[in-house]
Amino acid sequence: MKEINCDILVVGSGMTGLLTAYAISSFGYKIVIVDQKRMEHKNIKTDSRTTAISEGSKVFFEKIGFWKKISSYTEPIKKIKVIDRKPKNNINFFNYQDKRNLGYIVRNYNIISLLIKLLKKNKNITFYDNFKILRIDYTSEKVVGVFKNLNVSADILIAADGKNSSVRNLLRVPLFKKIYSDSALVLTLNHLFAHNSTAYEIFYKTGPLAILPMKSKKNKHSSSIVWSNNPLYLKSLFEEGGSLLKETLNEKISEFIGPVQKILTKQMFPLSSHINRKFYSKRVLFIGDSAHSIHPIAGQGWNLGVKDIKNLYDLTNDHSSLGLSLGSNNFCKEYNENSYYNAFQLYQITDKLNAIFKKNNLSSNGLRSIGFSFIEKNNNLKKIITNFAMGFS
């Protein structure tokens, strides 16, 4: 049995766990990152998903020195066009602030591979992969992650192991969960027209379809599609994958970005959301998807996790400057207080938005049409919504 002592144990080496380790590594703590999968078998290159980085997240990335490293892989979002059923029912959002964008789109692969490269250069950070957490024990002032043939003692354990968190299950932390009737089809593709750094959110009666601008490669225009719909319908398109999928997509998106030239990657996921009743246990913090997940309707899921990381970073900065140890009950409670309300608010907002836009009757459609027209003509209201999307609310 290998015994290791460290300051911080991070369970999970996805984007959230890696970014957490990168952010707090600047304080000089000894950090151990453990994942139940083999790092070389994580198949990150096959992950076709993209992530939307808000302007607020970008500001934090600048603070921790990550933005200058990842920025060259991102495509800015300069405009967002929201459409309800018909093109005439639309709202056009654009940036009201100089030198800022509404957000940025980047491939998950670029974030993960870059963070792994940076962290492996840090002598205070150690990776252990292919170790599934079996138990969580405690000594007088330590939390102990128990793995097969490995025990890791730390001042604090950061659970960043996703929606189906093993840490949360071991500690029996209760949660609220909602399983949606839809699935999401996620695609990357080349298309004929330039996207002009414009994102589209189109609300059909069957669910939303988002078109997200990606960085062009070899002068080919590229975008990411996130399409929520009936899982059986999407599965039939996914498995067929040829001309039928292409033709169906062209019916939905060709008027915005031109005909599909080539489908590069595709993945399909069931949709659900959850929120823990609390984001901490004894010497354990839950961060990102291990604490909460939301409907992708607003594209803010990862940015919500980044806010968790920022709260942890600020709290760690305060405690380390005073020489206080991490993981105390006060430390964990303060993190929970700083993170929970914002997550709960967005959990509710995205769930209700999805329900509102799924309604398809004359009165609901009429009310949404009136609402769209009112918002489109009201610049002050559009600024408020824009600030929310940019992560400044």
Side-chain angles (χ1 to χ4, degrees):
M1 178 69 71
K2 190 169 186 177
E3 304 278 349
I4 297 172
N5 287 298
C6 65
D7 300 306
I8 300 165
L9 168 59
V10 178
V11 178
S13 64
M15 290 198 301
T16 300
L18 294 171
L19 184 63
T20 300
Y22 178 83
I24 57 181
S25 66
S26 61
F27 300 108
Y29 290 111
K30 184 179 179 182
I31 301 171
V32 171
I33 304 171
V34 183
D35 197 286
Q36 67 179 9
K37 296 180 181 178
R38 279 182 143 344
M39 193 68 64
E40 64 268 27
H41 291 167
K42 288 178 75 68
N43 295 323
I44 55 176
K45 286 188 177 181
T46 65
D47 188 347
S48 65
R49 290 173 295 178
T50 57
T51 289
I53 299 174
S54 71
E55 188 70 27
S57 294
K58 177 203 168 187
V59 171
F60 176 60
F61 289 172
E62 288 174 330
K63 184 176 182 178
I64 61 175
F66 185 58
W67 182 249
K68 63 182 179 181
K69 297 177 173 64
I70 194 65
S71 60
S72 62
Y73 299 102
T74 67
E75 176 67 26
I77 300 174
K78 297 180 179 179
K79 297 179 182 178
I80 298 176
K81 193 177 186 76
V82 182
I83 299 166
D84 180 38
R85 306 299 196 266
K86 300 176 182 178
K88 68 177 183 178
N89 295 332
N90 66 78
I91 306 173
N92 297 283
F93 294 101
F94 56 90
N95 180 30
Y96 292 89
Q97 303 180 50
D98 293 336
K99 298 181 180 179
R100 293 183 187 252
N101 293 298
L102 295 175
Y104 306 83
I105 300 298
V106 61
R107 290 175 171 85
N108 290 10
Y109 162 72
N110 292 130
I111 296 175
I112 293 172
S113 58
L114 178 58
L115 284 169
I116 289 173
K117 181 180 178 180
L118 294 170
L119 291 171
K120 287 196 170 182
K121 291 180 179 179
N122 192 318
K123 294 180 180 179
N124 285 330
I125 297 174
T126 307
F127 283 89
Y128 288 91
D129 56 11
N130 204 26
F131 284 92
K132 182 177 180 179
I133 192 161
L134 305 175
R135 199 171 71 247
I136 295 172
D137 292 339
Y138 295 92
T139 63
S140 57
E141 294 184 354
K142 292 277 187 176
V143 57
V144 183
V146 179
F147 308 82
K148 185 177 180 180
N149 300 322
L150 176 69
N151 285 357
V152 183
S153 298
D155 293 333
I156 191 168
L157 186 155
I158 308 296
D161 52 343
K163 291 174 74 169
N164 300 312
S165 171
S166 296
V167 175
R168 186 183 63 229
N169 293 335
L170 287 171
L171 294 174
R172 298 182 180 179
V173 175
L175 72 159
F176 303 98
K177 185 173 184 178
K178 184 163 187 176
I179 298 175
Y180 296 101
S181 58
D182 295 338
S183 289
L185 182 61
V186 182
L187 308 144
T188 58
L189 47 83
N190 293 333
H191 46 86
L192 185 60
F193 301 158
H195 50 58
N196 297 317
S197 299
T198 301
Y200 298 86
E201 184 84 13
I202 309 159
F203 291 100
Y204 297 107
K205 63 181 180 181
T206 52
L209 185 152
I211 307 172
L212 306 171
M214 294 174 62
K215 200 168 188 66
S216 298
K217 283 188 174 182
K218 298 179 180 179
N219 296 319
K220 293 182 178 180
H221 307 304
S222 301
S223 291
S224 172
I225 306 295
V226 183
W227 184 13
S228 300
N229 208 316
N230 179 283
L232 294 178
Y233 175 63
L234 290 181
K235 186 178 180 183
S236 67
L237 293 175
F238 181 87
E239 291 178 346
E240 189 277 337
S243 59
L244 179 60
L245 176 57
K246 208 170 183 180
E247 289 171 10
T248 305
L249 286 170
N250 280 334
E251 290 176 4
K252 303 287 185 183
I253 67 176
S254 61
E255 65 181 296
F256 307 111
I257 57 174
V260 176
Q261 293 181 308
K262 185 177 182 181
I263 296 172
L264 303 173
T265 62
K266 59 178 182 176
Q267 289 177 289
M268 186 172 163
F269 303 92
L271 293 180
S272 65
S273 62
H274 83 280
I275 187 164
N276 297 5
R277 288 193 182 178
K278 60 178 184 176
F279 293 173
Y280 75 101
S281 187
K282 182 181 179 183
R283 290 194 175 274
V284 175
L285 296 182
F286 296 94
I287 204 159
D289 281 356
S290 70
H292 47 70
S293 61
I294 60 175
H295 193 283
I297 193 169
Q300 292 297 314
W302 195 55
N303 293 297
L304 188 57
V306 173
K307 287 184 179 180
D308 294 341
I309 298 170
K310 181 182 181 301
N311 290 336
L312 175 62
Y313 175 90
D314 291 341
L315 199 56
T316 301
N317 184 45
D318 292 343
H319 277 64
S320 63
S321 65
L322 296 173
L324 301 174
S325 64
L326 308 184
S328 68
N329 200 42
N330 286 338
F331 183 94
C332 293
K333 280 186 174 181
E334 191 171 347
Y335 166 79
N336 183 75
E337 289 169 1
N338 293 342
S339 301
Y340 194 90
Y341 174 75
N342 189 64
F344 183 78
Q345 184 183 45
L346 201 53
Y347 172 79
Q348 293 287 355
I349 289 172
T350 52
D351 180 62
K352 299 302 181 290
L353 276 175
N354 180 60
I356 289 169
F357 280 102
K358 285 291 288 284
K359 288 184 178 180
N360 191 51
N361 52 57
L362 285 175
S363 59
S364 297
N365 292 346
L367 286 171
R368 284 198 308 272
S369 180
I370 293 169
F372 266 55
S373 178
F374 177 75
I375 294 171
E376 176 64 12
K377 294 174 182 177
N378 191 320
N379 285 334
N380 287 331
L381 184 54
K382 285 171 74 172
K383 285 181 181 179
I384 293 171
I385 298 171
T386 298
N387 282 334
F388 176 82
M390 292 172 69
F392 292 126
S393 60

